[in-house]
Amino acid sequence: MLVWTLYTYPRGLVRTELLVNGNVVGGALVDSHGDDGIQSSTGLVITDLGLGDHVYVRLSYAAFNYILSYQDARSTFSGWLLH
C-alpha cells in the first residue's frame, strides 16, 4: 500500500501521479485556487511490487504555485507491506 499527501500554497492547483516502473498507477489533485487557504489531498494505491521495482511520485501539473511542505503542513510519501 502506497500513500502520499500533498499540500498547496493558497490559490494553488497541483496534480501528482504515482508511478511504478514508469507506469502511472494513481493520482491526486489538490486545488485551493478558489480560496486563500492551504489545502491538502491524499492518494492511496494498493499494488503488487517486487524486489527492485522503482516507485515515485511526480508532479504532473501545476497551474499555480507548487507543493507546500513545512512543519505545520508536511507533504509526505509512505508505503506499507500488506500480507
Side-chain angles (χ1 to χ4, degrees), residues 7 68-76:
Y7 289 82
L68 173 67
S69 190
Y70 70 102
Q71 67 186 15
D72 295 329
R74 185 70 63 204
S75 294
T76 62

Side-chain angles (χ1 to χ4, degrees), residues 1-4 43-47 49 77-83:
M1 182 173 80
L2 303 164
V3 61
W4 69 105
L44 185 141
V45 171
I46 296 174
T47 187
L49 296 175
F77 174 65
S78 302
W80 293 268
L81 176 62
L82 302 177
H83 291 278

Side-chain angles (χ1 to χ4, degrees), residues 17-78:
E17 296 173 330
L18 178 73
L19 288 88
V20 175
N21 299 323
N23 298 308
V24 176
V25 297
L29 172 74
V30 58
D31 181 1
S32 64
H33 187 242
D35 62 44
D36 288 326
I38 294 170
Q39 297 293 326
S40 68
S41 177
T42 298
L44 185 141
V45 171
I46 296 174
T47 187
D48 290 324
L49 296 175
L51 186 64
D53 284 347
H54 189 89
V55 179
Y56 59 98
V57 176
R58 76 176 175 194
L59 181 66
S60 64
Y61 180 78
F64 307 99
N65 292 321
Y66 293 103
I67 296 171
L68 173 67
S69 190
Y70 70 102
Q71 67 186 15
D72 295 329
R74 185 70 63 204
S75 294
T76 62
F77 174 65
S78 302

